[in-house]
Amino acid sequence: MDLVFRHKSGGELWQGGIHDVHSLAINHGNKIRTIALFAIEFQPDIRSSHYEVLKHGFQDSATMSDGEAQQTMRTADLASDKLASRVRSGRGVISTCAAGLNRSGLCSALTVMKLSDHGPLSATALVRAARGHRALSNPLFVDMIHTLADVKGKHSAWANWRNKAVKQ
């Protein structure tokens, strides 16, 4: 489990894999309050008063149909809205998938962009700096990060959208 981003509110965005979910209580139980599960094949029933669990499973594939890719992008965008809200409010959040590299990386990069002035290149670089060079190795997911930044107008309209989201 690695720290990807620390927000001025004190909230933190962490990223990891399945093995990190199992060790949370021991290693980071006092910091992490939200666990986001993005591996569709790993959606355990976690019952704990200590954690909020967000389940938004999707496939990690570089060969999706257009419909699957659109659904994945919508799911990641919605999930990153939720993660950004939690981090902005000062909570510790962990974005997870099977290996802690691609699905969680997609959602982490989108979350970083929603919380900061980072664009797609620097948000992707932050994820890779935290998780290693194999993070975000799925080129389709990297394209999705750029597409969502373009759609939301990362450096102008995105900031306006982010400010509206904060007020809600």
Side-chain angles (χ1 to χ4, degrees):
M1 172 167 30
D2 298 291
L3 181 63
V4 174
F5 184 80
R6 182 171 286 123
H7 189 259
K8 62 186 175 185
S9 68
E12 297 176 337
L13 174 63
W14 295 78
Q15 186 175 324
I18 291 171
H19 62 281
D20 294 310
V21 173
H22 295 297
S23 66
L24 273 174
I26 298 168
N27 296 328
H28 293 280
N30 293 326
K31 291 184 179 186
I32 304 296
R33 293 290 184 249
T34 301
I35 302 169
L37 303 169
F38 298 116
I40 197 165
E41 70 276 14
F42 182 71
Q43 298 286 310
D45 186 21
I46 300 173
R47 295 173 191 246
S48 170
S49 60
H50 188 74
Y51 301 115
E52 169 191 31
V53 179
L54 303 176
K55 295 182 177 186
H56 293 280
F58 55 92
Q59 295 292 333
D60 181 1
S61 174
T63 57
M64 294 181 192
S65 70
D66 287 346
E68 291 169 326
Q70 288 296 320
Q71 182 58 42
T72 295
M73 199 162 30
R74 281 192 298 273
T75 299
D77 190 30
L78 172 68
S80 64
D81 285 346
K82 292 179 181 181
L83 296 183
S85 173
R86 275 42 170 208
V87 172
R88 195 178 289 112
S89 70
R91 294 177 79 170
V93 172
I94 183 169
S95 173
T96 71
C97 62
L101 299 172
N102 281 308
R103 290 170 283 194
S104 58
L106 169 60
C107 293
S108 290
L110 293 173
T111 301
V112 166
M113 290 191 318
K114 291 173 182 180
L115 290 169
S116 68
D117 291 329
H118 287 283
L121 291 175
S122 59
T124 299
L126 280 175
V127 169
R128 288 178 175 153
R131 295 296 293 166
H133 71 279
R134 293 183 318 141
L136 287 171
S137 59
N138 182 333
L140 182 58
F141 287 177
V142 174
D143 287 347
M144 287 178 186
I145 293 166
H146 287 268
T147 298
L148 283 167
D150 288 345
V151 167
K152 304 238 185 216
K154 172 59 187 115
H155 296 292
S156 55
W158 182 286
N160 293 334
W161 169 85
R162 190 175 65 235
N163 290 336
K164 287 179 187 174
V166 170
K167 293 176 185 175
Q168 293 177 353

